[in-house]
Amino acid sequence: MAALHHYLSIADLERAARKRLPACVRGYVCGGTEDGVSLQQSLQAFSRLGFVPRGLRHVAQRSTATTLWGQTYAMPMGFAPTGFAAIVMKDCDAALAKVAQAQALPFIISGASTVPLEQLQNAHDQRCWYQAYLPGNMARILPLLQRLERAQIPVLVVTIDTCVGANRENLQRLRFTVPFRPSWTLLLDGLRHPRWSCDVFLRTVLSQGVPRFANLAHEAGPAITADPPHGFRGERDQLDWDCIDQIRAAWKGKLVLKGVMHPEDARLAVAHGADAVIVSTHGGRQLDACISPLQALPEIRQAVPAGYPVFIDGGFRRGSDVLKAMALGADLVFTGRPQLFGAAVAGEAGIAHAVQLFRQELMTNLALLGVNRPQELTADCLRIQGDFSLPPSQR
């Protein structure tokens, strides 16, 4: 960790990660779709809200701990599912699980990950959740649910915003595809980044061969260079609310829907038995020109019953970002890119450093806001930046 003290923010980690990753990997991790509007909206939304702090408050008893479904977490934060993390760091999924366990954070295994979920769950002491890219075909879904049940996965997260592949022009220009297809362009890119080529590509291939889609279905899939038996997105465009009803009937654990952006979908999630929703635009990687998850959050909070868990991801880079979301009604915030930036810079230690940056900022900002716990925050502590309306007596 001695070398990491120079990285004072997630932005510092991101700048270093961008330099160390080949262009194709950088494009996959950092890029959005089409014109990148959704991605930029997610990042810029936080600057449109300003805090109104309180002073002379006793804030010596600050705590970031939060409890959800009988489980206590160290912060109201967790690791979002990040597919293809193996291209950032060898066995990145295992490192993410290990850090999440050590830091007492929820970790969502991606359906597009390469380390078997059973291995991750055993290492994570039952804190792992699992995120699924599901087809609209119960004959394919049920065996996966049985696998999750055997592995004692407590929370199933169903992604609802990937019915088709998005128009990722940036990756097409970089010759990067999913499944991964080697090319001379990618080879040259790797040669220009020898550290990545040695530490990630060569170490992975020499020790275990080409990584596999380990968790897409009820059994390990093919190498990431090949299409799964039904295609990577086969029958996803048939997933609908009837499927959710059938999943709810078959799945005994908690059920979370990820990618909820419309308040009516939030109401439907409640009506169809989901235990929580995640407000998300898939990191700005699906439909472009979306509003930001932060902007969608207040309406979704109002659309569901009081006490119903509402989570969010998308664009979080500071502890202050997390607290703004909490003030608007989020119960948990999930991050994806920040821990991948840390992994690219310093492996497992870099992931832990990213968590520590958030932790430090949360503790500092709680004190400066005049509260002891994130759950004390409400929208009363926020104002829209640039709104200079004056009280009646001063007009």
Side-chain angles (χ1 to χ4, degrees), residues 324-340:
K324 288 176 183 179
M326 298 288 288
L328 292 177
D331 296 286
L332 280 181
V333 167
F334 286 93
T335 61
R337 291 182 176 97
Q339 56 264 28
L340 294 186

Side-chain angles (χ1 to χ4, degrees), residues 31 63 68 87 92 94 107 116 125 166 197 223 231 239 243 265 271 304 329 354 366 374 383 387 392:
S63 171
L68 174 73
I87 65 173
C92 190
F107 166 58
D125 192 26
S197 295
L239 188 70
C243 295
D265 282 345
V304 300
L366 284 174
R383 299 290 187 276
D387 182 1

Side-chain angles (χ1 to χ4, degrees), residues 82-99:
T82 48
F84 272 72
I87 65 173
V88 174
M89 170 193 169
K90 180 181 181 293
D91 293 330
C92 190
D93 300 305
L96 290 167
K98 184 176 180 181
V99 172

Side-chain angles (χ1 to χ4, degrees), residues 258-302:
K258 181 179 184 294
V260 174
M261 288 290 291
H262 195 289
E264 185 57 30
D265 282 345
R267 292 186 196 83
L268 286 169
V270 176
H272 287 263
D275 296 288
V277 297
I278 302 180
V279 186
S280 171
T281 58
H282 213 90
R285 298 154 68 90
Q286 282 298 109
L287 178 65
D288 202 18
C290 277
I291 64 173
S292 71
L294 192 73
Q295 184 179 349
L297 176 60
E299 280 190 276
I300 290 175
R301 176 75 274 172
Q302 292 177 356

Side-chain angles (χ1 to χ4, degrees), residues 36-321:
V37 175
S38 290
L39 176 58
Q40 290 305 313
Q41 286 292 325
S42 294
L43 293 167
Q44 294 168 4
F46 299 100
S47 65
R48 301 182 190 128
L49 291 177
F51 286 121
V52 184
R54 299 295 303 274
L56 295 176
R57 300 293 188 94
H58 193 292
V59 291
Q61 305 300 319
R62 300 187 308 286
S63 171
T64 59
T66 191
T67 300
L68 174 73
W69 297 326
Q71 179 73 61
T72 298
Y73 298 110
M75 295 189 290
M77 295 184 65
F79 287 176
T82 48
F84 272 72
I87 65 173
V88 174
M89 170 193 169
K90 180 181 181 293
D91 293 330
C92 190
D93 300 305
L96 290 167
K98 184 176 180 181
V99 172
Q101 165 66 13
Q103 302 287 341
L105 303 178
F107 166 58
I108 308 179
I109 302 169
S110 170
S113 54
T114 58
V115 178
L117 63 90
E118 292 83 0
Q119 179 180 332
L120 298 173
Q121 175 71 327
N122 290 338
H124 204 258
D125 192 26
Q126 310 303 312
R127 291 184 194 270
C128 282
W129 303 6
Y130 169 83
Q131 172 264 337
Y133 295 108
L134 294 180
N137 183 336
M138 290 305 297
R140 293 173 57 194
I141 293 173
L142 288 175
L144 173 61
L145 299 185
Q146 292 166 2
R147 178 185 177 186
L148 300 180
E149 187 174 354
R150 288 193 300 270
Q152 297 183 304
I153 296 290
V155 182
L156 169 62
V157 180
V158 176
T159 292
I160 69 169
D161 59 5
T162 57
C163 52
V164 296
N167 183 20
R168 303 210 53 190
E169 297 166 1
N170 67 318
L171 296 187
Q172 295 177 53
R173 295 188 182 98
L174 294 167
R175 304 293 192 270
F176 186 96
T177 61
V178 178
F180 183 77
R181 307 292 192 210
S183 70
W184 288 110
T185 301
L186 299 181
L187 175 61
L188 180 60
D189 197 9
L191 293 175
R192 290 171 176 164
H193 295 80
R195 175 173 173 172
W196 177 89
S197 295
C198 293
D199 289 351
V200 181
F201 180 77
L202 287 177
R203 285 185 62 216
T204 299
V205 172
L206 292 176
S207 65
Q208 63 192 49
V210 178
R212 306 178 70 84
F213 290 116
N215 301 313
L216 269 179
H218 68 285
E219 58 185 5
I224 63 172
T225 54
D227 277 307
H230 299 277
F232 193 72
R233 297 179 178 86
E235 298 183 302
R236 286 196 209 168
D237 55 359
Q238 299 176 36
L239 188 70
D240 59 15
W241 290 107
D242 288 339
C243 295
I244 297 301
D245 286 337
Q246 295 178 71
I247 292 168
R248 177 69 285 176
W251 176 247
K252 300 175 183 177
K254 298 296 184 183
L255 176 62
V256 179
L257 301 188
K258 181 179 184 294
V260 174
M261 288 290 291
H262 195 289
E264 185 57 30
D265 282 345
R267 292 186 196 83
L268 286 169
V270 176
H272 287 263
D275 296 288
V277 297
I278 302 180
V279 186
S280 171
T281 58
H282 213 90
R285 298 154 68 90
Q286 282 298 109
L287 178 65
D288 202 18
C290 277
I291 64 173
S292 71
L294 192 73
Q295 184 179 349
L297 176 60
E299 280 190 276
I300 290 175
R301 176 75 274 172
Q302 292 177 356
V304 300
Y308 186 85
V310 174
F311 313 142
I312 187 172
D313 67 32
F316 291 87
R317 300 293 186 270
R318 288 282 188 182
S320 57
D321 298 340

